[in-house]
Structure formats: structure tokens, C-alpha cells
Amino acid sequence: MTHPVQKTDAEWRQLLADKQAEPGAYQVTRHAATERPFTGKYEQHWADGSYHCMCCGAKLFESGTKFDAGCGWPSFSLALPGAIEERRDVSHGMVRVETVCANCGAHLGHVFPDGPTETGLRYCMNSAALDFEPR
């Protein structure tokens, strides 16, 4: 699938370096790696603002939809409309739903149907794929 924002691997690497992204951000966002649980900078981050794609800056989540799922990754109950594309993921012997940025295709994490809010969803994201903008 093509996305509005396209770059070469070298351009993605340079962009993430220029943004001083977390180590591993390139592997997470461009190659669907996963950061270790309880290690990401946004796992226990509760400031008011919005979360954006680390690669292209697209707004993905409002801080009011973030909750503590106890899973070790930042979790959200609701993505902004049209911000996230979902894909079937059958890696690692499981069937899951991968989430990618609809604007640039960056791997963000997965969404699960076990959230505690009225949406019933838990968007389980990698901190390395996110950038936070305070209000």
C-alpha cells in the first residue's frame, strides 16, 4: 500500500536522527519491531496534549484517550478518525491487527478488542513510534 508520505530508507533514517528519536525508532517504525515492555518513554506519561507519528508528524491520539492497560506499552482507547490503517498480522504464530500511520505507513503497534472503555479497543503502541505535543 502506498501512503501520501514516501521516503527512502536513508531518508527515514536521517529524519529520525534529525528528530533525535529514541534508539530503535527506525526498526520499530519501518520494520515493525517492538520495543521491550515498560521501557518506552510514554508508557507512564500522563501530560495533556496529543500523540503524533514520529516519522511524519500526523496526529494520531488525544491524551484523554490514553489509559494504563498494565501491558507495558502506551495504550489508547480511540484513534483520531482516518489517522490509522489496520492490517492483518500473522507473525509470531498469532493473528493480530497491526496499526500503521495512514499518512506514512510507519508501524505503530497493534490494536486489541479488550479495552476497558466504551470503544472496547486497546491501541497498544510503541513509544518509539510516537511524538508528544503538549497543549
Side-chain angles (χ1 to χ4, degrees), residues 31-34 85-100 107-112 124 126:
H31 294 286
T34 301
E85 177 185 312
E86 297 181 359
R87 299 177 178 168
R88 180 181 160 99
D89 177 3
V90 294
S91 64
H92 306 291
M94 299 177 266
V95 177
R96 300 178 290 175
V97 178
E98 177 188 17
T99 56
V100 300
H107 171 79
L108 304 168
H110 292 85
V111 62
F112 301 96
C124 185
N126 288 284

PDB file of all heavy atoms in Angstrom, residues 31-34 85-100 107-112 124 126:
ATOM      1  N   HIS A  31      10.324  -1.300  10.213  1.00  0.00           N
ATOM      2  CA  HIS A  31      10.467  -2.754  10.079  1.00  0.00           C
ATOM      3  C   HIS A  31       9.629  -3.527  11.102  1.00  0.00           C
ATOM      4  O   HIS A  31       9.894  -4.703  11.347  1.00  0.00           O
ATOM      5  CB  HIS A  31      11.940  -3.154  10.164  1.00  0.00           C
ATOM      6  CG  HIS A  31      12.734  -2.623   9.012  1.00  0.00           C
ATOM      7  ND1 HIS A  31      12.654  -3.153   7.748  1.00  0.00           N
ATOM      8  CD2 HIS A  31      13.582  -1.576   8.923  1.00  0.00           C
ATOM      9  CE1 HIS A  31      13.442  -2.464   6.932  1.00  0.00           C
ATOM     10  NE2 HIS A  31      13.998  -1.490   7.623  1.00  0.00           N
ATOM     11  N   ALA A  32       8.648  -2.874  11.714  1.00  0.00           N
ATOM     12  CA  ALA A  32       7.678  -3.499  12.621  1.00  0.00           C
ATOM     13  C   ALA A  32       8.308  -4.221  13.813  1.00  0.00           C
ATOM     14  O   ALA A  32       7.783  -5.216  14.293  1.00  0.00           O
ATOM     15  CB  ALA A  32       6.750  -4.444  11.847  1.00  0.00           C
ATOM     16  N   ALA A  33       9.425  -3.697  14.298  1.00  0.00           N
ATOM     17  CA  ALA A  33       9.998  -4.232  15.534  1.00  0.00           C
ATOM     18  C   ALA A  33       9.123  -3.774  16.700  1.00  0.00           C
ATOM     19  O   ALA A  33       8.256  -2.909  16.545  1.00  0.00           O
ATOM     20  CB  ALA A  33      11.434  -3.734  15.716  1.00  0.00           C
ATOM     21  N   THR A  34       9.356  -4.351  17.862  1.00  0.00           N
ATOM     22  CA  THR A  34       8.608  -3.971  19.058  1.00  0.00           C
ATOM     23  C   THR A  34       9.591  -3.650  20.174  1.00  0.00           C
ATOM     24  O   THR A  34      10.520  -4.420  20.413  1.00  0.00           O
ATOM     25  CB  THR A  34       7.678  -5.124  19.507  1.00  0.00           C
ATOM     26  OG1 THR A  34       6.782  -5.418  18.449  1.00  0.00           O
ATOM     27  CG2 THR A  34       6.899  -4.755  20.749  1.00  0.00           C
ATOM     28  N   GLU A  85      -4.244   3.056   9.868  1.00  0.00           N
ATOM     29  CA  GLU A  85      -4.641   1.979   8.968  1.00  0.00           C
ATOM     30  C   GLU A  85      -4.411   0.661   9.709  1.00  0.00           C
ATOM     31  O   GLU A  85      -3.402   0.509  10.399  1.00  0.00           O
ATOM     32  CB  GLU A  85      -3.764   2.062   7.718  1.00  0.00           C
ATOM     33  CG  GLU A  85      -3.979   0.988   6.704  1.00  0.00           C
ATOM     34  CD  GLU A  85      -2.960   1.122   5.580  1.00  0.00           C
ATOM     35  OE1 GLU A  85      -2.784   2.249   5.063  1.00  0.00           O
ATOM     36  OE2 GLU A  85      -2.325   0.109   5.243  1.00  0.00           O
ATOM     37  N   GLU A  86      -5.331  -0.257   9.570  1.00  0.00           N
ATOM     38  CA  GLU A  86      -5.200  -1.559  10.236  1.00  0.00           C
ATOM     39  C   GLU A  86      -4.892  -2.635   9.203  1.00  0.00           C
ATOM     40  O   GLU A  86      -5.424  -2.611   8.097  1.00  0.00           O
ATOM     41  CB  GLU A  86      -6.495  -1.899  10.977  1.00  0.00           C
ATOM     42  CG  GLU A  86      -6.811  -0.928  12.095  1.00  0.00           C
ATOM     43  CD  GLU A  86      -8.085  -1.270  12.850  1.00  0.00           C
ATOM     44  OE1 GLU A  86      -8.754  -2.269  12.498  1.00  0.00           O
ATOM     45  OE2 GLU A  86      -8.411  -0.525  13.787  1.00  0.00           O
ATOM     46  N   ARG A  87      -4.020  -3.574   9.605  1.00  0.00           N
ATOM     47  CA  ARG A  87      -3.618  -4.684   8.731  1.00  0.00           C
ATOM     48  C   ARG A  87      -3.625  -5.981   9.523  1.00  0.00           C
ATOM     49  O   ARG A  87      -3.235  -5.993  10.697  1.00  0.00           O
ATOM     50  CB  ARG A  87      -2.200  -4.484   8.213  1.00  0.00           C
ATOM     51  CG  ARG A  87      -1.993  -3.250   7.398  1.00  0.00           C
ATOM     52  CD  ARG A  87      -0.531  -3.149   7.023  1.00  0.00           C
ATOM     53  NE  ARG A  87      -0.281  -1.985   6.185  1.00  0.00           N
ATOM     54  CZ  ARG A  87       0.918  -1.533   5.902  1.00  0.00           C
ATOM     55  NH1 ARG A  87       1.988  -2.134   6.393  1.00  0.00           N
ATOM     56  NH2 ARG A  87       1.066  -0.487   5.123  1.00  0.00           N
ATOM     57  N   ARG A  88      -3.997  -7.051   8.873  1.00  0.00           N
ATOM     58  CA  ARG A  88      -3.922  -8.379   9.497  1.00  0.00           C
ATOM     59  C   ARG A  88      -2.443  -8.753   9.654  1.00  0.00           C
ATOM     60  O   ARG A  88      -1.666  -8.641   8.723  1.00  0.00           O
ATOM     61  CB  ARG A  88      -4.648  -9.384   8.624  1.00  0.00           C
ATOM     62  CG  ARG A  88      -4.647 -10.788   9.153  1.00  0.00           C
ATOM     63  CD  ARG A  88      -5.389 -11.687   8.169  1.00  0.00           C
ATOM     64  NE  ARG A  88      -5.052 -13.063   8.348  1.00  0.00           N
ATOM     65  CZ  ARG A  88      -5.781 -13.935   9.024  1.00  0.00           C
ATOM     66  NH1 ARG A  88      -6.906 -13.535   9.563  1.00  0.00           N
ATOM     67  NH2 ARG A  88      -5.401 -15.184   9.145  1.00  0.00           N
ATOM     68  N   ASP A  89      -2.073  -9.202  10.839  1.00  0.00           N
ATOM     69  CA  ASP A  89      -0.696  -9.579  11.151  1.00  0.00           C
ATOM     70  C   ASP A  89      -0.696 -11.016  11.664  1.00  0.00           C
ATOM     71  O   ASP A  89      -1.284 -11.299  12.706  1.00  0.00           O
ATOM     72  CB  ASP A  89      -0.145  -8.622  12.211  1.00  0.00           C
ATOM     73  CG  ASP A  89       1.262  -8.959  12.670  1.00  0.00           C
ATOM     74  OD1 ASP A  89       1.872  -9.910  12.138  1.00  0.00           O
ATOM     75  OD2 ASP A  89       1.754  -8.268  13.576  1.00  0.00           O
ATOM     76  N   VAL A  90      -0.040 -11.906  10.936  1.00  0.00           N
ATOM     77  CA  VAL A  90       0.016 -13.314  11.338  1.00  0.00           C
ATOM     78  C   VAL A  90       1.436 -13.719  11.759  1.00  0.00           C
ATOM     79  O   VAL A  90       1.763 -14.896  11.790  1.00  0.00           O
ATOM     80  CB  VAL A  90      -0.515 -14.250  10.215  1.00  0.00           C
ATOM     81  CG1 VAL A  90      -1.994 -14.016   9.992  1.00  0.00           C
ATOM     82  CG2 VAL A  90       0.265 -14.063   8.936  1.00  0.00           C
ATOM     83  N   SER A  91       2.256 -12.742  12.107  1.00  0.00           N
ATOM     84  CA  SER A  91       3.623 -13.033  12.538  1.00  0.00           C
ATOM     85  C   SER A  91       3.634 -13.631  13.943  1.00  0.00           C
ATOM     86  O   SER A  91       2.668 -13.510  14.699  1.00  0.00           O
ATOM     87  CB  SER A  91       4.466 -11.757  12.502  1.00  0.00           C
ATOM     88  OG  SER A  91       3.976 -10.819  13.430  1.00  0.00           O
ATOM     89  N   HIS A  92       4.719 -14.261  14.277  1.00  0.00           N
ATOM     90  CA  HIS A  92       4.956 -14.815  15.620  1.00  0.00           C
ATOM     91  C   HIS A  92       3.901 -15.842  16.042  1.00  0.00           C
ATOM     92  O   HIS A  92       3.612 -15.979  17.233  1.00  0.00           O
ATOM     93  CB  HIS A  92       5.063 -13.703  16.665  1.00  0.00           C
ATOM     94  CG  HIS A  92       6.069 -12.668  16.321  1.00  0.00           C
ATOM     95  ND1 HIS A  92       7.428 -12.894  16.323  1.00  0.00           N
ATOM     96  CD2 HIS A  92       5.921 -11.379  15.902  1.00  0.00           C
ATOM     97  CE1 HIS A  92       8.064 -11.808  15.953  1.00  0.00           C
ATOM     98  NE2 HIS A  92       7.182 -10.870  15.682  1.00  0.00           N
ATOM     99  N   GLY A  93       3.315 -16.533  15.072  1.00  0.00           N
ATOM    100  CA  GLY A  93       2.354 -17.595  15.383  1.00  0.00           C
ATOM    101  C   GLY A  93       1.038 -17.113  15.959  1.00  0.00           C
ATOM    102  O   GLY A  93       0.312 -17.885  16.581  1.00  0.00           O
ATOM    103  N   MET A  94       0.724 -15.822  15.777  1.00  0.00           N
ATOM    104  CA  MET A  94      -0.524 -15.250  16.295  1.00  0.00           C
ATOM    105  C   MET A  94      -1.259 -14.533  15.175  1.00  0.00           C
ATOM    106  O   MET A  94      -0.666 -14.192  14.166  1.00  0.00           O
ATOM    107  CB  MET A  94      -0.225 -14.196  17.378  1.00  0.00           C
ATOM    108  CG  MET A  94       0.503 -14.691  18.575  1.00  0.00           C
ATOM    109  SD  MET A  94       0.857 -13.315  19.710  1.00  0.00           S
ATOM    110  CE  MET A  94       2.497 -12.873  19.171  1.00  0.00           C
ATOM    111  N   VAL A  95      -2.532 -14.307  15.393  1.00  0.00           N
ATOM    112  CA  VAL A  95      -3.299 -13.459  14.483  1.00  0.00           C
ATOM    113  C   VAL A  95      -3.629 -12.192  15.268  1.00  0.00           C
ATOM    114  O   VAL A  95      -4.282 -12.242  16.306  1.00  0.00           O
ATOM    115  CB  VAL A  95      -4.594 -14.142  14.003  1.00  0.00           C
ATOM    116  CG1 VAL A  95      -5.391 -13.200  13.128  1.00  0.00           C
ATOM    117  CG2 VAL A  95      -4.271 -15.433  13.258  1.00  0.00           C
ATOM    118  N   ARG A  96      -3.116 -11.061  14.764  1.00  0.00           N
ATOM    119  CA  ARG A  96      -3.333  -9.773  15.434  1.00  0.00           C
ATOM    120  C   ARG A  96      -3.693  -8.738  14.382  1.00  0.00           C
ATOM    121  O   ARG A  96      -3.654  -9.010  13.188  1.00  0.00           O
ATOM    122  CB  ARG A  96      -2.062  -9.322  16.160  1.00  0.00           C
ATOM    123  CG  ARG A  96      -1.590 -10.278  17.213  1.00  0.00           C
ATOM    124  CD  ARG A  96      -0.320  -9.812  17.870  1.00  0.00           C
ATOM    125  NE  ARG A  96       0.799  -9.906  16.936  1.00  0.00           N
ATOM    126  CZ  ARG A  96       2.022  -9.478  17.185  1.00  0.00           C
ATOM    127  NH1 ARG A  96       2.303  -8.885  18.322  1.00  0.00           N
ATOM    128  NH2 ARG A  96       2.986  -9.604  16.300  1.00  0.00           N
ATOM    129  N   VAL A  97      -4.006  -7.532  14.844  1.00  0.00           N
ATOM    130  CA  VAL A  97      -4.275  -6.416  13.943  1.00  0.00           C
ATOM    131  C   VAL A  97      -3.180  -5.382  14.157  1.00  0.00           C
ATOM    132  O   VAL A  97      -3.096  -4.759  15.224  1.00  0.00           O
ATOM    133  CB  VAL A  97      -5.676  -5.807  14.190  1.00  0.00           C
ATOM    134  CG1 VAL A  97      -5.895  -4.612  13.271  1.00  0.00           C
ATOM    135  CG2 VAL A  97      -6.755  -6.859  13.980  1.00  0.00           C
ATOM    136  N   GLU A  98      -2.328  -5.237  13.148  1.00  0.00           N
ATOM    137  CA  GLU A  98      -1.253  -4.248  13.182  1.00  0.00           C
ATOM    138  C   GLU A  98      -1.828  -2.872  12.891  1.00  0.00           C
ATOM    139  O   GLU A  98      -2.765  -2.735  12.105  1.00  0.00           O
ATOM    140  CB  GLU A  98      -0.200  -4.586  12.126  1.00  0.00           C
ATOM    141  CG  GLU A  98       0.921  -3.578  12.043  1.00  0.00           C
ATOM    142  CD  GLU A  98       1.868  -3.797  10.876  1.00  0.00           C
ATOM    143  OE1 GLU A  98       1.508  -4.531   9.933  1.00  0.00           O
ATOM    144  OE2 GLU A  98       2.954  -3.206  10.903  1.00  0.00           O
ATOM    145  N   THR A  99      -1.266  -1.848  13.519  1.00  0.00           N
ATOM    146  CA  THR A  99      -1.659  -0.467  13.229  1.00  0.00           C
ATOM    147  C   THR A  99      -0.469   0.258  12.620  1.00  0.00           C
ATOM    148  O   THR A  99       0.662   0.131  13.098  1.00  0.00           O
ATOM    149  CB  THR A  99      -2.114   0.265  14.504  1.00  0.00           C
ATOM    150  OG1 THR A  99      -1.077   0.208  15.479  1.00  0.00           O
ATOM    151  CG2 THR A  99      -3.389  -0.342  15.056  1.00  0.00           C
ATOM    152  N   VAL A 100      -0.748   0.991  11.536  1.00  0.00           N
ATOM    153  CA  VAL A 100       0.278   1.806  10.891  1.00  0.00           C
ATOM    154  C   VAL A 100      -0.296   3.201  10.672  1.00  0.00           C
ATOM    155  O   VAL A 100      -1.509   3.390  10.579  1.00  0.00           O
ATOM    156  CB  VAL A 100       0.769   1.208   9.545  1.00  0.00           C
ATOM    157  CG1 VAL A 100       1.372  -0.178   9.740  1.00  0.00           C
ATOM    158  CG2 VAL A 100      -0.320   1.180   8.506  1.00  0.00           C
ATOM    159  N   HIS A 107       4.974   1.663  11.231  1.00  0.00           N
ATOM    160  CA  HIS A 107       4.414   0.703  12.178  1.00  0.00           C
ATOM    161  C   HIS A 107       4.296   1.390  13.537  1.00  0.00           C
ATOM    162  O   HIS A 107       5.247   2.005  14.017  1.00  0.00           O
ATOM    163  CB  HIS A 107       5.322  -0.528  12.289  1.00  0.00           C
ATOM    164  CG  HIS A 107       4.937  -1.454  13.393  1.00  0.00           C
ATOM    165  ND1 HIS A 107       3.899  -2.344  13.272  1.00  0.00           N
ATOM    166  CD2 HIS A 107       5.446  -1.620  14.640  1.00  0.00           C
ATOM    167  CE1 HIS A 107       3.789  -3.032  14.404  1.00  0.00           C
ATOM    168  NE2 HIS A 107       4.720  -2.600  15.248  1.00  0.00           N
ATOM    169  N   LEU A 108       3.118   1.275  14.143  1.00  0.00           N
ATOM    170  CA  LEU A 108       2.864   1.897  15.437  1.00  0.00           C
ATOM    171  C   LEU A 108       2.745   0.861  16.549  1.00  0.00           C
ATOM    172  O   LEU A 108       3.236   1.061  17.648  1.00  0.00           O
ATOM    173  CB  LEU A 108       1.585   2.730  15.382  1.00  0.00           C
ATOM    174  CG  LEU A 108       1.540   3.814  14.307  1.00  0.00           C
ATOM    175  CD1 LEU A 108       0.133   4.373  14.160  1.00  0.00           C
ATOM    176  CD2 LEU A 108       2.545   4.907  14.617  1.00  0.00           C
ATOM    177  N   GLY A 109       2.076  -0.223  16.272  1.00  0.00           N
ATOM    178  CA  GLY A 109       1.821  -1.266  17.259  1.00  0.00           C
ATOM    179  C   GLY A 109       0.684  -2.138  16.787  1.00  0.00           C
ATOM    180  O   GLY A 109       0.576  -2.450  15.592  1.00  0.00           O
ATOM    181  N   HIS A 110      -0.208  -2.500  17.724  1.00  0.00           N
ATOM    182  CA  HIS A 110      -1.354  -3.354  17.416  1.00  0.00           C
ATOM    183  C   HIS A 110      -2.584  -2.843  18.151  1.00  0.00           C
ATOM    184  O   HIS A 110      -2.468  -2.118  19.135  1.00  0.00           O
ATOM    185  CB  HIS A 110      -1.067  -4.801  17.831  1.00  0.00           C
ATOM    186  CG  HIS A 110       0.000  -5.434  17.003  1.00  0.00           C
ATOM    187  ND1 HIS A 110       1.341  -5.289  17.292  1.00  0.00           N
ATOM    188  CD2 HIS A 110      -0.073  -6.183  15.877  1.00  0.00           C
ATOM    189  CE1 HIS A 110       2.054  -5.943  16.376  1.00  0.00           C
ATOM    190  NE2 HIS A 110       1.225  -6.489  15.511  1.00  0.00           N
ATOM    191  N   VAL A 111      -3.751  -3.240  17.671  1.00  0.00           N
ATOM    192  CA  VAL A 111      -4.995  -2.909  18.356  1.00  0.00           C
ATOM    193  C   VAL A 111      -5.677  -4.221  18.742  1.00  0.00           C
ATOM    194  O   VAL A 111      -5.696  -5.175  17.960  1.00  0.00           O
ATOM    195  CB  VAL A 111      -5.922  -1.996  17.507  1.00  0.00           C
ATOM    196  CG1 VAL A 111      -6.354  -2.655  16.214  1.00  0.00           C
ATOM    197  CG2 VAL A 111      -7.124  -1.536  18.316  1.00  0.00           C
ATOM    198  N   PHE A 112      -6.196  -4.249  19.966  1.00  0.00           N
ATOM    199  CA  PHE A 112      -6.828  -5.446  20.511  1.00  0.00           C
ATOM    200  C   PHE A 112      -8.251  -5.107  20.965  1.00  0.00           C
ATOM    201  O   PHE A 112      -8.495  -3.994  21.440  1.00  0.00           O
ATOM    202  CB  PHE A 112      -6.020  -5.968  21.698  1.00  0.00           C
ATOM    203  CG  PHE A 112      -4.597  -6.313  21.346  1.00  0.00           C
ATOM    204  CD1 PHE A 112      -3.577  -5.405  21.556  1.00  0.00           C
ATOM    205  CD2 PHE A 112      -4.287  -7.549  20.796  1.00  0.00           C
ATOM    206  CE1 PHE A 112      -2.257  -5.709  21.220  1.00  0.00           C
ATOM    207  CE2 PHE A 112      -2.978  -7.867  20.460  1.00  0.00           C
ATOM    208  CZ  PHE A 112      -1.965  -6.953  20.671  1.00  0.00           C
ATOM    209  N   CYS A 124      -2.356  -0.552  21.442  1.00  0.00           N
ATOM    210  CA  CYS A 124      -1.117  -0.805  22.170  1.00  0.00           C
ATOM    211  C   CYS A 124       0.035  -0.342  21.277  1.00  0.00           C
ATOM    212  O   CYS A 124       0.365  -0.991  20.294  1.00  0.00           O
ATOM    213  CB  CYS A 124      -1.047  -2.300  22.462  1.00  0.00           C
ATOM    214  SG  CYS A 124       0.325  -2.800  23.481  1.00  0.00           S
ATOM    215  N   ASN A 126       3.954   1.510  20.382  1.00  0.00           N
ATOM    216  CA  ASN A 126       5.365   1.621  20.752  1.00  0.00           C
ATOM    217  C   ASN A 126       5.682   3.102  20.987  1.00  0.00           C
ATOM    218  O   ASN A 126       5.400   3.937  20.117  1.00  0.00           O
ATOM    219  CB  ASN A 126       6.253   1.110  19.620  1.00  0.00           C
ATOM    220  CG  ASN A 126       6.199  -0.392  19.472  1.00  0.00           C
ATOM    221  OD1 ASN A 126       6.791  -1.106  20.269  1.00  0.00           O
ATOM    222  ND2 ASN A 126       5.493  -0.862  18.460  1.00  0.00           N
TER     223      ASN A 126
END
